Amino acid sequence: MAFTGQLAVITGGGSGVGQTWARQLAADGVIVALLDVNTEGMEATASGFETIHTFEVDIIDAGAVSAVFSTIETTLGPVDRVVNAAAIMPFGRLVDEDPRVTNKVMSVNYGGLVNVATAALPPMLERGYGDFISFSSMTGIIPGLLMGAYASSKAAVQHYSEGDILPLKDVFVSFFFVSIGMFFNFDVLFDYTGEVFLLLLVFLFGKGLIA
């Protein structure tokens, strides 16, 4: 995904996809602002790069997210790209899961996207340019075993993201929606029969062709 901007904001930049994306952009000469509650992880991400700046913020706090975007725009410049990679993914049966954990998954994965998009998109729309990258998962389409809370949150992310694409179709602001595939250990989780696995492949490839 080519990028010619100068400043990118990445949520969840202290680990995983966010960390990888941040270091790659910084290596390409982009100024990167990391948003995360994981300060040690952000320090690791920024190690070796003077152009990576860290901001400790919880994306479930709408006011804090709005304030940090204002700070970034004031101190670092206009935001050209947002990569919303922050997410949490507990495993287990929903009936055994603490409801506070279930609700937190929705607050971080879906509520965080809402807060970040609400803070980031208006300045982009006013300027008439920018990229917003939203991460979902195949579990938002096909729920994964023992991933009920995560799958539910990603289904919400998917609908929210797709709903934001149409209003942006006539402006120079791109809203990218990335759906990451599921990776199973079939020996441990479950044993697909040949027929079921074939139907799954047809559904996945068919979905891609239709989209």
Side-chain angles (χ1 to χ4, degrees), residues 10-13 18 35-36 59 83-88 108-110 113 135 154:
I10 300 178
T11 72
L35 309 186
D36 209 322
I59 63 170
V83 180
N84 187 55
I88 56 176
V108 173
N109 298 1
Y110 171 65
L113 167 63
F135 283 91
K154 289 305 184 179

PDB file of all heavy atoms in Angstrom, residues 10-13 18 35-36 59 83-88 108-110 113 135 154:
ATOM      1  N   ILE A  10      -0.337   5.571  14.493  1.00  0.00           N
ATOM      2  CA  ILE A  10      -0.597   4.143  14.586  1.00  0.00           C
ATOM      3  C   ILE A  10      -1.053   3.805  16.000  1.00  0.00           C
ATOM      4  O   ILE A  10      -0.321   4.047  16.969  1.00  0.00           O
ATOM      5  CB  ILE A  10       0.644   3.320  14.222  1.00  0.00           C
ATOM      6  CG1 ILE A  10       1.070   3.627  12.784  1.00  0.00           C
ATOM      7  CG2 ILE A  10       0.380   1.830  14.403  1.00  0.00           C
ATOM      8  CD1 ILE A  10       2.320   2.889  12.337  1.00  0.00           C
ATOM      9  N   THR A  11      -2.242   3.232  16.120  1.00  0.00           N
ATOM     10  CA  THR A  11      -2.698   2.766  17.424  1.00  0.00           C
ATOM     11  C   THR A  11      -2.239   1.323  17.617  1.00  0.00           C
ATOM     12  O   THR A  11      -2.063   0.578  16.657  1.00  0.00           O
ATOM     13  CB  THR A  11      -4.224   2.840  17.555  1.00  0.00           C
ATOM     14  OG1 THR A  11      -4.826   1.821  16.746  1.00  0.00           O
ATOM     15  CG2 THR A  11      -4.745   4.204  17.125  1.00  0.00           C
ATOM     16  N   GLY A  12      -2.058   0.941  18.871  1.00  0.00           N
ATOM     17  CA  GLY A  12      -1.548  -0.401  19.134  1.00  0.00           C
ATOM     18  C   GLY A  12      -0.113  -0.554  18.661  1.00  0.00           C
ATOM     19  O   GLY A  12       0.324  -1.650  18.303  1.00  0.00           O
ATOM     20  N   GLY A  13       0.632   0.556  18.680  1.00  0.00           N
ATOM     21  CA  GLY A  13       1.996   0.537  18.144  1.00  0.00           C
ATOM     22  C   GLY A  13       3.029  -0.090  19.044  1.00  0.00           C
ATOM     23  O   GLY A  13       4.208  -0.143  18.689  1.00  0.00           O
ATOM     24  N   GLY A  18       0.786  -3.294  14.640  1.00  0.00           N
ATOM     25  CA  GLY A  18       1.071  -1.876  14.790  1.00  0.00           C
ATOM     26  C   GLY A  18       2.560  -1.597  14.903  1.00  0.00           C
ATOM     27  O   GLY A  18       3.078  -0.646  14.307  1.00  0.00           O
ATOM     28  N   LEU A  35       0.228   5.422  19.455  1.00  0.00           N
ATOM     29  CA  LEU A  35      -0.744   5.528  20.543  1.00  0.00           C
ATOM     30  C   LEU A  35      -0.921   4.146  21.155  1.00  0.00           C
ATOM     31  O   LEU A  35      -1.221   3.182  20.444  1.00  0.00           O
ATOM     32  CB  LEU A  35      -2.096   6.027  20.031  1.00  0.00           C
ATOM     33  CG  LEU A  35      -2.140   7.298  19.176  1.00  0.00           C
ATOM     34  CD1 LEU A  35      -3.581   7.686  18.912  1.00  0.00           C
ATOM     35  CD2 LEU A  35      -1.390   8.432  19.850  1.00  0.00           C
ATOM     36  N   ASP A  36      -0.723   4.049  22.457  1.00  0.00           N
ATOM     37  CA  ASP A  36      -0.851   2.747  23.123  1.00  0.00           C
ATOM     38  C   ASP A  36      -0.844   2.965  24.624  1.00  0.00           C
ATOM     39  O   ASP A  36      -0.416   4.022  25.106  1.00  0.00           O
ATOM     40  CB  ASP A  36       0.304   1.818  22.719  1.00  0.00           C
ATOM     41  CG  ASP A  36      -0.074   0.334  22.759  1.00  0.00           C
ATOM     42  OD1 ASP A  36      -0.822  -0.044  23.688  1.00  0.00           O
ATOM     43  OD2 ASP A  36       0.375  -0.431  21.899  1.00  0.00           O
ATOM     44  N   ILE A  59      -7.344   4.134  23.984  1.00  0.00           N
ATOM     45  CA  ILE A  59      -8.248   4.535  22.905  1.00  0.00           C
ATOM     46  C   ILE A  59      -9.721   4.356  23.255  1.00  0.00           C
ATOM     47  O   ILE A  59     -10.591   4.785  22.486  1.00  0.00           O
ATOM     48  CB  ILE A  59      -7.933   3.819  21.581  1.00  0.00           C
ATOM     49  CG1 ILE A  59      -8.129   2.309  21.703  1.00  0.00           C
ATOM     50  CG2 ILE A  59      -6.547   4.165  21.096  1.00  0.00           C
ATOM     51  CD1 ILE A  59      -8.070   1.598  20.364  1.00  0.00           C
ATOM     52  N   VAL A  83      -3.346   4.289  11.088  1.00  0.00           N
ATOM     53  CA  VAL A  83      -3.417   2.827  11.076  1.00  0.00           C
ATOM     54  C   VAL A  83      -3.987   2.406  12.429  1.00  0.00           C
ATOM     55  O   VAL A  83      -3.301   2.468  13.447  1.00  0.00           O
ATOM     56  CB  VAL A  83      -2.033   2.186  10.857  1.00  0.00           C
ATOM     57  CG1 VAL A  83      -2.157   0.656  10.849  1.00  0.00           C
ATOM     58  CG2 VAL A  83      -1.402   2.682   9.556  1.00  0.00           C
ATOM     59  N   ASN A  84      -5.241   2.028  12.441  1.00  0.00           N
ATOM     60  CA  ASN A  84      -5.885   1.647  13.703  1.00  0.00           C
ATOM     61  C   ASN A  84      -5.705   0.147  13.936  1.00  0.00           C
ATOM     62  O   ASN A  84      -6.533  -0.664  13.551  1.00  0.00           O
ATOM     63  CB  ASN A  84      -7.369   2.009  13.689  1.00  0.00           C
ATOM     64  CG  ASN A  84      -8.001   1.782  15.043  1.00  0.00           C
ATOM     65  OD1 ASN A  84      -7.539   2.317  16.047  1.00  0.00           O
ATOM     66  ND2 ASN A  84      -9.032   0.969  15.092  1.00  0.00           N
ATOM     67  N   ALA A  85      -4.587  -0.217  14.584  1.00  0.00           N
ATOM     68  CA  ALA A  85      -4.236  -1.623  14.775  1.00  0.00           C
ATOM     69  C   ALA A  85      -4.481  -2.113  16.196  1.00  0.00           C
ATOM     70  O   ALA A  85      -4.283  -3.296  16.475  1.00  0.00           O
ATOM     71  CB  ALA A  85      -2.762  -1.842  14.402  1.00  0.00           C
ATOM     72  N   ALA A  86      -4.875  -1.248  17.106  1.00  0.00           N
ATOM     73  CA  ALA A  86      -5.078  -1.640  18.502  1.00  0.00           C
ATOM     74  C   ALA A  86      -6.227  -2.630  18.619  1.00  0.00           C
ATOM     75  O   ALA A  86      -7.309  -2.418  18.070  1.00  0.00           O
ATOM     76  CB  ALA A  86      -5.347  -0.413  19.363  1.00  0.00           C
ATOM     77  N   ALA A  87      -5.991  -3.725  19.342  1.00  0.00           N
ATOM     78  CA  ALA A  87      -7.036  -4.730  19.549  1.00  0.00           C
ATOM     79  C   ALA A  87      -6.600  -5.693  20.646  1.00  0.00           C
ATOM     80  O   ALA A  87      -5.400  -5.858  20.900  1.00  0.00           O
ATOM     81  CB  ALA A  87      -7.316  -5.509  18.262  1.00  0.00           C
ATOM     82  N   ILE A  88      -7.569  -6.324  21.281  1.00  0.00           N
ATOM     83  CA  ILE A  88      -7.285  -7.387  22.242  1.00  0.00           C
ATOM     84  C   ILE A  88      -8.106  -8.606  21.854  1.00  0.00           C
ATOM     85  O   ILE A  88      -9.174  -8.486  21.251  1.00  0.00           O
ATOM     86  CB  ILE A  88      -7.592  -6.964  23.687  1.00  0.00           C
ATOM     87  CG1 ILE A  88      -9.052  -6.485  23.831  1.00  0.00           C
ATOM     88  CG2 ILE A  88      -6.629  -5.873  24.132  1.00  0.00           C
ATOM     89  CD1 ILE A  88      -9.440  -6.145  25.253  1.00  0.00           C
ATOM     90  N   VAL A 108     -12.449  -1.752  23.282  1.00  0.00           N
ATOM     91  CA  VAL A 108     -11.161  -1.504  22.638  1.00  0.00           C
ATOM     92  C   VAL A 108     -11.261  -1.677  21.126  1.00  0.00           C
ATOM     93  O   VAL A 108     -10.899  -0.786  20.348  1.00  0.00           O
ATOM     94  CB  VAL A 108     -10.071  -2.443  23.201  1.00  0.00           C
ATOM     95  CG1 VAL A 108      -8.775  -2.294  22.405  1.00  0.00           C
ATOM     96  CG2 VAL A 108      -9.826  -2.142  24.674  1.00  0.00           C
ATOM     97  N   ASN A 109     -11.767  -2.832  20.704  1.00  0.00           N
ATOM     98  CA  ASN A 109     -11.729  -3.177  19.279  1.00  0.00           C
ATOM     99  C   ASN A 109     -12.707  -2.362  18.438  1.00  0.00           C
ATOM    100  O   ASN A 109     -12.368  -1.921  17.331  1.00  0.00           O
ATOM    101  CB  ASN A 109     -12.010  -4.660  19.096  1.00  0.00           C
ATOM    102  CG  ASN A 109     -10.964  -5.534  19.757  1.00  0.00           C
ATOM    103  OD1 ASN A 109     -10.023  -5.047  20.380  1.00  0.00           O
ATOM    104  ND2 ASN A 109     -11.119  -6.841  19.647  1.00  0.00           N
ATOM    105  N   TYR A 110     -13.914  -2.178  18.945  1.00  0.00           N
ATOM    106  CA  TYR A 110     -14.907  -1.393  18.205  1.00  0.00           C
ATOM    107  C   TYR A 110     -14.971   0.055  18.689  1.00  0.00           C
ATOM    108  O   TYR A 110     -14.855   0.998  17.904  1.00  0.00           O
ATOM    109  CB  TYR A 110     -16.293  -2.030  18.308  1.00  0.00           C
ATOM    110  CG  TYR A 110     -17.384  -1.153  17.744  1.00  0.00           C
ATOM    111  CD1 TYR A 110     -17.414  -0.851  16.385  1.00  0.00           C
ATOM    112  CD2 TYR A 110     -18.355  -0.606  18.573  1.00  0.00           C
ATOM    113  CE1 TYR A 110     -18.393  -0.027  15.861  1.00  0.00           C
ATOM    114  CE2 TYR A 110     -19.344   0.222  18.049  1.00  0.00           C
ATOM    115  CZ  TYR A 110     -19.358   0.513  16.702  1.00  0.00           C
ATOM    116  OH  TYR A 110     -20.325   1.337  16.192  1.00  0.00           O
ATOM    117  N   LEU A 113     -12.011   2.123  17.620  1.00  0.00           N
ATOM    118  CA  LEU A 113     -12.093   2.538  16.219  1.00  0.00           C
ATOM    119  C   LEU A 113     -12.990   3.760  16.077  1.00  0.00           C
ATOM    120  O   LEU A 113     -12.643   4.723  15.383  1.00  0.00           O
ATOM    121  CB  LEU A 113     -12.630   1.397  15.363  1.00  0.00           C
ATOM    122  CG  LEU A 113     -13.062   1.766  13.936  1.00  0.00           C
ATOM    123  CD1 LEU A 113     -11.885   2.275  13.124  1.00  0.00           C
ATOM    124  CD2 LEU A 113     -13.725   0.578  13.250  1.00  0.00           C
ATOM    125  N   PHE A 135      -8.616  -2.259  10.739  1.00  0.00           N
ATOM    126  CA  PHE A 135      -8.378  -3.704  10.740  1.00  0.00           C
ATOM    127  C   PHE A 135      -9.587  -4.467  11.273  1.00  0.00           C
ATOM    128  O   PHE A 135     -10.081  -4.193  12.361  1.00  0.00           O
ATOM    129  CB  PHE A 135      -7.159  -4.055  11.591  1.00  0.00           C
ATOM    130  CG  PHE A 135      -5.854  -3.765  10.913  1.00  0.00           C
ATOM    131  CD1 PHE A 135      -5.242  -2.539  11.062  1.00  0.00           C
ATOM    132  CD2 PHE A 135      -5.235  -4.720  10.115  1.00  0.00           C
ATOM    133  CE1 PHE A 135      -4.048  -2.254  10.429  1.00  0.00           C
ATOM    134  CE2 PHE A 135      -4.047  -4.451   9.480  1.00  0.00           C
ATOM    135  CZ  PHE A 135      -3.446  -3.211   9.634  1.00  0.00           C
ATOM    136  N   LYS A 154     -15.187  -7.649  15.931  1.00  0.00           N
ATOM    137  CA  LYS A 154     -14.707  -7.454  14.564  1.00  0.00           C
ATOM    138  C   LYS A 154     -15.852  -7.381  13.557  1.00  0.00           C
ATOM    139  O   LYS A 154     -15.733  -6.739  12.515  1.00  0.00           O
ATOM    140  CB  LYS A 154     -13.715  -8.566  14.191  1.00  0.00           C
ATOM    141  CG  LYS A 154     -12.377  -8.437  14.916  1.00  0.00           C
ATOM    142  CD  LYS A 154     -11.750  -7.067  14.676  1.00  0.00           C
ATOM    143  CE  LYS A 154     -10.388  -6.917  15.301  1.00  0.00           C
ATOM    144  NZ  LYS A 154      -9.774  -5.601  15.062  1.00  0.00           N
TER     145      LYS A 154
END
